[in-house]
Amino acid sequence: MPQLRVALAQVNARVGDLDFNAELVLSRCREAHAAGAHLVVFPEMVLTGYPVEDLAMRASMIAASRAKAEEVAAQLAEEGLGELVAIVGFLDQAEGVPDGPGIPKNAPLNAIAVMHGGAIVARQSKIHLWNYGVGDEIRNFVPGDVLHVVEIHGVDVAAVICEDLWRDGIASAVRAAGAGLLVVPNGSPYEANKDDVRLDLCTRRAVEGGVALAYVNLVGGQDELVFDGDSLVVDASGTLVARTAQFVEELIVVDLDLPAARRLMPPPDTRFVGLRVVRTVISSEPVAPYAPVTPPILPRLGDLEEIYRALVVGLRDYVDKNGFRSVLLGLSGGIDSTLCGAIAVDALGPERVFGVSNPSEYSTEHSRSDAAELARRTGLDLRTVPIAPMVDAFQGALGLTGLAEENLQARVRAVVWMGLSNQEGHLVLACGNKSEVATGYSTIYGDAVGGYAPIKDVRKTLVWELSRWRNAYAEARGEQPPIPENAISKPPSAELRPGQLDTDSLPPYEILDGILDAYVERDLSAEAVVAEGYDAALVERVVTLVDRAEYKRRQYPPGPKVTRRNFGRDRRVPITHRWREHLADD
Amino acid sequence: MPQLRVALAQVNARVGDLDFNAELVLSRCREAHAAGAHLVVFPEMVLTGYPVEDLAMRASMIAASRAKAEEVAAQLAEEGLGELVAIVGFLDQAEGVPDGPGIPKNAPLNAIAVMHGGAIVARQSKIHLWNYGVGDEIRNFVPGDVLHVVEIHGVDVAAVICEDLWRDGIASAVRAAGAGLLVVPNGSPYEANKDDVRLDLCTRRAVEGGVALAYVNLVGGQDELVFDGDSLVVDASGTLVARTAQFVEELIVVDLDLPAARRLMPPPDTRFVGLRVVRTVISSEPVAPYAPVTPPILPRLGDLEEIYRALVVGLRDYVDKNGFRSVLLGLSGGIDSTLCGAIAVDALGPERVFGVSNPSEYSTEHSRSDAAELARRTGLDLRTVPIAPMVDAFQGALGLTGLAEENLQARVRAVVWMGLSNQEGHLVLACGNKSEVATGYSTIYGDAVGGYAPIKDVRKTLVWELSRWRNAYAEARGEQPPIPENAISKPPSAELRPGQLDTDSLPPYEILDGILDAYVERDLSAEAVVAEGYDAALVERVVTLVDRAEYKRRQYPPGPKVTRRNFGRDRRVPITHRWREHLADD
């Protein structure tokens, strides 16, 4: 059987930075060439970054992307890399598509360019656009209807893009077209346990299609998304033969024995399963037999480590890609801000993390000492700004009481953080967790203030689990655990009035998180949640809190998605609505 | 020719409130029946309200909507209205659609029920889902593929839903199916000049289809959308024969002479232009000849009045549908907050509007006197809370300078507003205009604070135009103009440092608004904007401001859409991106 050395380039592209991304592609092509690869595969839309959202419809961006793709192909040949076949995702444009309602302006395509010999020898576009969860591609792209088969060194290579692989039918099209290798560029965001789902999917499609399959994904953070890489290769029997590390840039090469091209030359308009198949021959001569290398098959990270690393990468790239030097966060001594501090130090190093302790008359001694202990253990900068003088000044004019007085303290803290942010140039972090964001247990323009919310998608019970995991991870390596044990073990409190506990306002988090999982993540009706064993009145209360907090969530800072359903684009509901899940006694 | 009396029910539904909406439908059916109508047509998804977003995919909501539709049909018959045919939008469910990627969960349908004789005698679903601008329907609905023709008193009546009408091809399907009347339930949001576009569209489709056309739209505010009604009827020659008032609930009846049903009975799976046509006969006997009534053809409002009314309705419904009693806004004496105060008084009455003046050491005398004059003219409540003591308290601890000090003042004001809001229960209004929102010329967590932003989609030059219009409107009716002339005529200033003017930071608004129109509304590249005659360096500066302000816009409160492109769902770009429009000298 003909051999082929395939390089998988798992890279961290920057949305909109075509020059940077082109250099990323070129440098990885050089590396692949040096490693003797015949084919190198890049992730989805690597040249523009992903997702570009409505920028896809800008005529100027389409033109720049197309020109840059031609430029990269030419540059490869100029550098003597013309024989290497590079599959590079980019923003292309469909021809002959008339303007009209329902047609994305300028007919953009989510496409790949097959580069060889200084030119783009084939182009293919995503057939099935991703339009659920956080995907809105039907808004931005025209779908493709062509399956290209490119013969490379006597092997028929087909490619489909990300969502295409998830749809039934694609494998039979690939099989009918007689491909020996299917490559899949992806922009597939991380969520917990998705690695298992992906491997299953790749295995299934390889077996269905009778093809070896090379899956290449982006890595890095982009607004609320974190790409975890997890690039892999399975052979035609569905056996995993290579897998990259998660959450890091990496290039791996894999040697595959592949079936000789059948060289079927159907008429150009032949259709298999609704797709027009087009063939391009780059080279029909198999490469001379050579000794294969052993590719890595790296094990997956543990469940908690995986989530923690996603949070670290999400924060790091949000800070770096937006050009911030440092972050600032309020450190209350509570577990949420403490965990955020540890994540920030892991992401940026302690010299780029600035904590502020804002004690009030209701702050306990341990809230200060726990914040100080975090600073001591991690080396982050901590300063103390008591809020009593500012609170007193407001109260002298307003005389607020009850909840209004509680919120005042949170907002005074936020004004301090934002003042320091403006003065010193830090990005402020909002430290709320998913259970709080869900129920609105936060002060809008208070603790909800910030440019980025590192644990917005982490429910409270998981906050504790991650904190314990992080400490255990340090201990196992003989390092200082960053998180003070007292911050983990003490009962949670907002400390906005004397002796206040979260459980004054909310059910215990073990119960709350169970109800939220059922109502928010699984979309169950209130009745169905009750049927899972929760108290009906409590379910009604939680559901009402969740529905009423939508106005707060709309103004909450972005944060990294780590579950199947982050708030925001994952779950779109009106602010103004009176849909109430009906309980039996309603 | 057979006659038919058709009632158009232009109503204000509430999203999710099925009981309220059912009563709305019943009461308008009673009114239509009393007016002798044979057919009454309601807007798109009137029973659930529109748009319901991801709520469409909740099994519990689908079940409730289907049950409520059956209930309404039965209730009509019970009340002796069974002979009236009612076309009622609701949330339905497709049968036999398997779960899978790209299929909205639970297969929801954006549907209409044809009610007669106590039952639903026909159902049809939206064929072309609206998935551009602020529409995301492909995410939420399964498309329909059936065109129902219902024979009512010897007339063949077809129906299509909103976006269906915008697509070429639908009219020829209707013509091929031989319909004499096409009814179109809509959830079509307001934008400036859309009334002209709609009438053109209806005229064109009527002529293409050879049918009379009855267009029925929602009215009222829903989050960022304002529905303007603008329901109308054109005859088969394309002549306008009836049109409702804008922005108000209304029921009109129209008598039409329509061609007798052809009674073609094609086999049930006959397809015209890709649609399966299904026929249902309700009654074949034409009604006895009667004398027609003269329907209203109300003229459109002037351009400025139309926008002003949209702002008033948007604010009123956001407040009322969310259950607020009152609004509170900071009154700086500047034109933005002054106009917002006038809109709020028009929407809610002066007793529900609370203004706060927060003078600082940099406030000018006229900023206080102009705010007081607005209060005097409109009767809104005004109180004064100087901010010097709070600013001093922060500065004692922080010693902020420059922009950080300017922002501090804006944030102290916001803490005052939010404190009063929490204490007294007002909804806070953010008074920023579109030019500010575009360029980020606002303080996040300062003047950008609020639950609703009444003029978020109104560029600064239009703020002045609307203010002048509002005063002239009052003068023409012999009323007190609400807006102090000095607020209109003085140069705009944030008053955050001595002698500050907006033009210190921004180009004159006439120029800025022109650049924003080209770059934001028309999506031109920077180069193309320069080609329209603007200075290249200035364009580069404005484009950079717009791109960098995306993080602020994400946290800006919702506000009513009045242009073709409001920020938010209309224009979706990443926060983190390095796409820079390239100027010639870049």
Side-chain angles (χ1 to χ4, degrees), chain A residues 13-51:
Chain A
R14 293 190 192 164
V15 165
D17 195 342
L18 272 60
D19 292 337
F20 176 89
N21 296 332
E23 186 46 45
L24 195 65
V25 168
L26 289 169
S27 68
R28 290 303 189 167
C29 284
R30 291 174 202 126
E31 191 179 337
H33 177 73
H38 307 109
L39 169 64
V40 56
V41 185
F42 288 88
E44 184 173 8
M45 287 188 76
V46 66
L47 215 50
T48 55
Y50 181 84

Side-chain angles (χ1 to χ4, degrees), chain A residues 525-528 540 578-586, chain B residues 16 18-19 60 64:
Chain A
S525 69
E527 273 181 339
E540 180 72 22
R578 293 180 184 232
W579 173 242
R580 290 281 176 266
E581 295 293 343
H582 297 284
L583 290 170
D585 59 347
D586 206 17
Chain B
L18 273 59
D19 292 337
S60 54

Side-chain angles (χ1 to χ4, degrees), chain A residues 340-352:
Chain A
C340 286
I343 290 167
V345 169
D346 286 336
L348 307 170
E351 67 288 348
R352 299 175 68 189

Side-chain angles (χ1 to χ4, degrees), chain A residues 92-130:
Chain A
D92 202 2
Q93 184 168 39
E95 275 161 38
V97 176
D99 249 16
I103 309 289
K105 196 170 154 188
N106 296 312
L109 292 167
N110 177 334
I112 50 173
V114 181
M115 300 177 178
H116 179 261
I120 297 173
V121 297
R123 294 159 186 250
Q124 178 172 321
S125 304
K126 200 172 192 171
I127 299 152
H128 296 288
L129 299 172
W130 179 32

Side-chain angles (χ1 to χ4, degrees), chain A residues 128-320:
Chain A
H128 296 288
L129 299 172
W130 179 32
N131 209 72
Y132 52 91
V134 300
D136 281 309
E137 292 192 330
I138 293 178
R139 174 183 177 85
N140 295 131
F141 298 112
V142 171
D145 62 352
V146 167
L147 181 68
H148 270 275
V149 178
V150 180
E151 189 177 332
I152 305 172
H153 291 303
V155 176
D156 276 341
V157 179
V160 295
I161 303 173
C162 202
E163 181 68 14
D164 291 337
L165 190 71
W166 294 79
R167 304 297 181 96
D168 289 331
I170 202 75
S172 48
V174 170
R175 179 185 282 273
L181 172 64
L182 176 63
V183 302
V184 190
N186 295 274
S188 173
Y190 173 72
E191 62 188 48
N193 305 317
K194 200 169 182 182
D195 46 355
D196 298 333
V197 178
R198 271 193 206 117
L199 177 58
D200 281 357
L201 177 73
C202 290
T203 300
R204 197 163 74 243
R205 293 299 185 228
V207 171
E208 286 170 5
V211 283
L213 190 155
Y215 181 102
V216 185
N217 194 16
L218 285 166
V219 73
Q222 171 57 34
D223 286 355
E224 299 222 89
L225 304 182
V226 183
F227 298 98
D228 52 331
D230 193 27
S231 305
L232 59 89
V233 177
V234 291
D235 66 19
S237 75
T239 304
L240 180 68
V241 297
R243 201 167 196 178
T244 58
Q246 293 170 274
F247 299 109
V248 292
E249 290 196 283
E250 198 169 38
L251 182 133
I252 64 171
V253 295
V254 187
D255 288 305
L256 293 167
D257 294 325
L258 296 165
R262 301 190 196 175
R263 291 170 201 159
L264 303 170
M265 290 295 281
D269 63 346
T270 301
R271 285 180 177 271
F272 296 107
V273 197
L275 292 172
R276 189 159 58 87
V277 174
V278 176
R279 295 182 164 271
T280 304
V281 178
I282 290 178
S283 50
S284 295
E285 203 53 49
V287 296
Y290 63 89
V293 295
T294 303
I297 307 186
L298 293 175
R300 297 303 84 187
L301 302 169
D303 288 349
L304 291 172
E305 177 165 8
E306 193 181 81
I307 294 171
Y308 191 88
R309 289 203 185 275
L311 300 177
V312 168
V313 167
L315 173 57
R316 185 199 68 204
D317 277 3
Y318 194 85
V319 171
D320 287 345

Side-chain angles (χ1 to χ4, degrees), chain B residues 46-112:
Chain B
V46 66
L47 215 48
T48 56
Y50 181 84
V52 296
E53 311 285 349
D54 284 9
L55 296 177
M57 301 189 283
R58 292 192 82 89
S60 54
M61 194 186 207
I62 296 171
S65 168
R66 288 162 63 106
K68 189 60 78 180
E70 301 279 0
E71 211 180 296
V72 167
Q75 178 69 23
L76 285 173
E78 216 161 276
E79 295 188 18
L81 278 62
E83 275 314 298
L84 176 67
V85 178
I87 295 187
V88 179
F90 77 120
L91 173 64
D92 201 2
Q93 185 169 38
E95 274 160 39
V97 175
D99 248 17
I103 310 288
K105 197 170 155 189
N106 296 312
L109 292 166
N110 178 334
I112 50 173

Side-chain angles (χ1 to χ4, degrees), chain B residues 185-330:
Chain B
N186 295 273
S188 174
Y190 173 72
E191 63 188 48
N193 305 320
K194 200 170 182 181
D195 46 355
D196 298 333
V197 178
R198 271 193 206 117
L199 178 57
D200 281 356
L201 177 73
C202 290
T203 300
R204 197 162 73 244
R205 295 298 185 227
V207 172
E208 287 169 4
V211 284
L213 191 155
Y215 181 103
V216 184
N217 195 16
L218 284 166
V219 74
Q222 170 58 33
D223 286 355
E224 301 220 270
L225 304 181
V226 182
F227 298 98
D228 51 333
D230 192 27
S231 305
L232 59 89
V233 177
V234 292
D235 66 20
S237 75
T239 305
L240 180 67
V241 295
R243 200 167 197 180
T244 59
Q246 293 171 275
F247 299 110
V248 293
E249 291 195 283
E250 199 169 38
L251 184 132
I252 65 171
V253 295
V254 186
D255 287 305
L256 293 167
D257 294 323
L258 297 165
R262 303 191 196 171
R263 291 171 201 161
L264 303 170
M265 288 296 279
D269 63 347
T270 300
R271 284 179 178 272
F272 296 107
V273 197
L275 292 172
R276 189 159 58 87
V277 174
V278 176
R279 293 183 166 271
T280 304
V281 178
I282 290 178
S283 49
S284 294
E285 203 54 47
V287 295
Y290 63 88
V293 295
T294 304
I297 307 184
L298 294 175
R300 298 305 83 190
L301 302 169
D303 288 349
L304 291 172
E305 176 164 9
E306 193 181 81
I307 294 171
Y308 191 88
R309 291 205 184 273
L311 300 176
V312 168
V313 167
L315 173 58
R316 184 200 68 205
D317 276 3
Y318 194 84
V319 170
D320 287 344
K321 290 183 178 179
N322 283 306
F324 283 94
R325 289 187 313 276
S326 51
V327 297
L328 179 143
L329 72 170

